[in-house]
Amino acid sequence: MRIESLEPGVLWRHFAALAAVPRGSKNEAAAAQYVMKAAAERGIGAERDSAGNVVIRLPASPGHESAETVVLQGHLDMVCEKNAGTDHDFDNRGVRAVVDGEWVRAEGTTLGADNGIGVAAALALLDDRSAVHGPIEILLTIDEESGMSGAKALKAAWLKGRRMLNLDSEEDGTLYVGCAGGGNSEIEILLRRDPPPKGFKALRVEVSGLRGGHSGLNIGENRANAIKLLVRLLVDAADKMPLKLGSIDGGNKHNAIPREAWAVAFVPSRREDTFRKLAAEWRDVFRRESGTIEPGLRIAVAPAPPERPRPMTAPAARRTLDLLAALPHGALGMSQDLPNLVETSSNLAVAATSERSVRIVTSSRSSVAPTLRAVLGSIAAACRLAGVECVQAGGYPGWKPNMDSHLLRVARETCKAMYGADPKVTAIHAGLECGIIGEAIPGMDMLSFGPQIEGAHSPDERVRVASVARFYDFLKGVLRALA
């Protein structure tokens, strides 16, 4: 079945078109061109600001011109992740989206339903004559997934609306009224290297097959971090034999839990079997610890390739492993106000080794600003103790819930009228652009909702087809009520 044949067709046709163009963060030109063209072909005004954000100004349905302007907000970019062994050029190709039973997914890559479905829902209103609404401003930002630079560059005067529906959340039937703030830490460990050692075997050890996922939405599920697992194995091996470390790598996105990590380790040739046995023992330990959470967990040991790096000096290797072991990862605190909501977390996101350094990236989040500062402070303190450089920049604010919101009241009433049930109301442990936009435009009333998306930020990403129809119908219901 083709994506375009799904219902509502007016939405899925736009999603299929977006999926077909490259739109990784900072590479949104083709997506922006598509939405601008869609507006122009229908005689609807659209503008693009100096940052690359797009706003489409959709006139009201006849008879509703006097209603307040509503902003529909989403982002044009997507996270670009692929399975090991998948050959895909995200810079120049879109993804291949396929229907798989009651889900839509991609083949070996992220799907981009985050936030392509939200963008497609907004664009669907350009053609949907059954939709009743007041004036709409469709705000589509760039670079949400790697720094939110589009939202940060937004000028308040560009928008008339002061009520905003963010279409970038991922749980069917849930209304989001708040989000976490966050900040990244960029760490660099400078290296010195020794000559290749005699009597040692160079081995490549890899942890793979993990679920990964969104470092905000999935961080409370105890999904394993491949870098952390690999470090535990290497630290134990270094305590038991004269191990020398050549490199350690894993993860490549600050907002994704690392699914794979690998290292080049030099071990005494006579101890190779011992190292392999130790790796198998740790594999069994990790499988017991993760239970059913990580059924695909694997550890592989193989001869390192000929182009392997030289070993780090012993102090550099110890500093690298100790710091990676010490940096926090996972849920660090739960909300006292909203059930089952992670309040504070940190993600050990990236380790990347070059000839002269190991680069480490962590991403920390909290809905409580002082707590976020404390977590970032603990990371900086660990780096000072290790004697390495840590740069913390690019933070973004959280979005404080407003339970007296007019949008929230209308959405609750609409849900009750359409489905005979109250919606779930909560906050999200992820960085929505609402926090930045709310700070730039004081008094903006905001609400976020979306369809059921699972595995965002990983190649397991998929969206439930039936939930997309409910999401779009609910969006139209809220717009009708506001008109």
Side-chain angles (χ1 to χ4, degrees):
M1 177 183 293
R2 290 172 56 84
I3 300 291
E4 296 89 339
S5 66
L6 298 172
E7 293 295 335
V10 68
L11 184 157
W12 285 107
R13 286 190 291 274
H14 282 296
F15 179 74
L18 287 167
V21 300
R23 54 188 180 93
S25 300
K26 306 185 188 302
N27 186 34
E28 303 95 343
Q33 182 180 13
Y34 172 78
V35 300
M36 294 284 286
K37 182 180 179 183
E41 288 176 346
R42 293 156 178 82
I44 298 170
E47 305 168 36
R48 197 173 186 199
D49 68 8
S50 59
N53 303 311
V54 174
V55 67
I56 300 172
R57 305 188 192 278
L58 177 62
S61 303
H64 298 275
E65 293 82 0
S66 62
E68 289 193 37
T69 299
V70 175
V71 180
L72 300 184
Q73 193 264 320
H75 61 86
L76 292 170
D77 61 320
M78 63 174 282
V79 168
C80 297
E81 286 280 320
K82 59 185 178 181
N83 285 323
T86 296
D87 182 16
H88 188 85
D89 180 4
F90 283 107
D91 289 338
N92 297 293
R93 289 173 52 199
V95 301
R96 177 170 167 74
V98 297
V99 181
D100 184 5
E102 61 185 46
W103 299 87
V104 170
R105 59 170 180 81
E107 293 189 336
T109 70
T110 38
L111 172 64
D114 171 15
N115 180 227
I117 292 292
V119 174
L123 295 177
L125 296 169
L126 305 183
D127 298 314
D128 192 341
R129 300 296 175 236
S130 70
V132 176
H133 53 81
I136 290 176
E137 294 173 322
I138 300 174
L139 172 63
L140 305 174
T141 56
I142 56 98
D143 194 34
E144 190 270 353
E145 299 289 10
S146 70
M148 300 193 185
S149 63
K152 290 175 181 177
L154 188 67
K155 305 300 183 185
W158 205 35
L159 297 176
K160 297 178 181 178
R162 292 300 181 266
R163 290 176 176 165
M164 190 180 88
L165 299 176
N166 170 278
L167 308 179
D168 187 26
S169 50
E170 300 166 4
E171 186 175 353
D172 187 19
T174 299
L175 305 178
Y176 289 94
V177 295
C179 71
N184 295 341
S185 301
E186 296 265 355
I187 302 162
E188 185 176 33
I189 303 174
L190 298 179
L191 301 179
R192 292 186 177 181
R193 294 187 179 272
D194 287 332
K198 295 182 179 180
F200 279 68
K201 180 71 175 287
L203 299 173
R204 185 181 190 274
V205 54
E206 179 178 14
V207 176
S208 63
L210 304 184
R211 295 172 67 189
H214 191 295
S215 65
L217 301 180
N218 303 122
I219 200 74
E221 299 174 15
N222 291 325
R223 297 188 182 189
N225 181 316
I227 298 172
K228 280 290 191 181
L229 299 190
L230 180 58
V231 167
R232 289 172 65 186
L233 163 59
L234 293 173
V235 167
D236 188 38
D239 288 342
K240 293 177 176 175
M241 65 182 72
L243 179 142
K244 299 178 182 295
L245 183 66
S247 62
I248 182 165
D249 297 270
N252 60 12
K253 296 286 188 302
H254 76 276
N255 52 8
I257 302 168
R259 305 169 64 248
E260 299 164 343
W262 54 96
V264 171
F266 297 81
V267 302
S269 299
R270 59 186 175 80
R271 304 293 298 274
E272 178 182 353
D273 288 344
T274 302
F275 182 85
R276 289 178 178 273
K277 181 180 178 182
L278 188 66
E281 291 172 352
W282 275 108
R283 177 202 61 206
D284 294 341
V285 169
F286 297 150
R287 285 177 175 173
R288 287 195 299 272
E289 288 180 351
S290 63
T292 60
I293 298 173
E294 299 289 0
L297 188 156
R298 298 185 297 275
I299 296 181
V301 179
E307 62 274 15
R308 58 184 174 264
R310 292 175 297 140
M312 305 173 191
T313 61
R318 190 79 246 186
R319 183 180 300 114
T320 298
L321 292 178
D322 284 350
L323 184 57
L324 287 170
L327 289 172
H329 175 82
L332 305 177
M334 304 298 292
S335 171
Q336 300 299 305
D337 301 315
L338 295 167
N340 303 315
L341 176 68
V342 176
E343 183 175 86
T344 304
S345 73
S346 196
N347 177 43
L348 174 55
V350 176
T353 304
S354 66
E355 175 66 21
R356 297 183 178 181
S357 68
V358 177
R359 172 177 166 265
I360 301 169
V361 179
T362 70
S363 176
S364 306
R365 306 175 191 263
S366 182
S367 53
V368 180
T371 307
L372 175 60
R373 289 194 294 271
V375 174
L376 292 171
S378 71
I379 293 170
C383 291
R384 285 194 297 272
L385 289 171
V388 303
E389 182 179 359
C390 175
V391 176
Q392 295 176 331
Y396 54 89
W399 164 30
K400 185 178 179 180
N402 174 17
M403 302 309 292
D404 295 324
S405 157
H406 175 72
L407 283 180
L408 176 59
R409 178 178 60 80
V410 170
R412 278 176 151 165
E413 292 171 353
T414 301
C415 185
K416 187 75 171 179
M418 292 180 66
Y419 305 115
D422 292 321
K424 177 183 175 183
V425 178
T426 188
I428 189 171
H429 189 64
L432 296 176
E433 290 163 298
C434 297
I436 296 171
I437 294 171
E439 189 174 73
I441 309 176
M444 180 72 87
D445 188 10
M446 298 178 289
L447 187 70
S448 179
F449 54 89
Q452 190 70 29
I453 298 174
E454 298 182 357
H457 297 190
S458 84
D460 296 327
E461 182 185 7
R462 61 181 188 170
V463 58
R464 189 184 292 274
V465 173
S467 76
V468 173
R470 285 191 295 272
F471 159 61
Y472 185 59
D473 286 344
F474 182 66
L475 171 61
K476 291 199 296 180
V478 172
L479 292 173
R480 179 186 291 269
L482 291 170

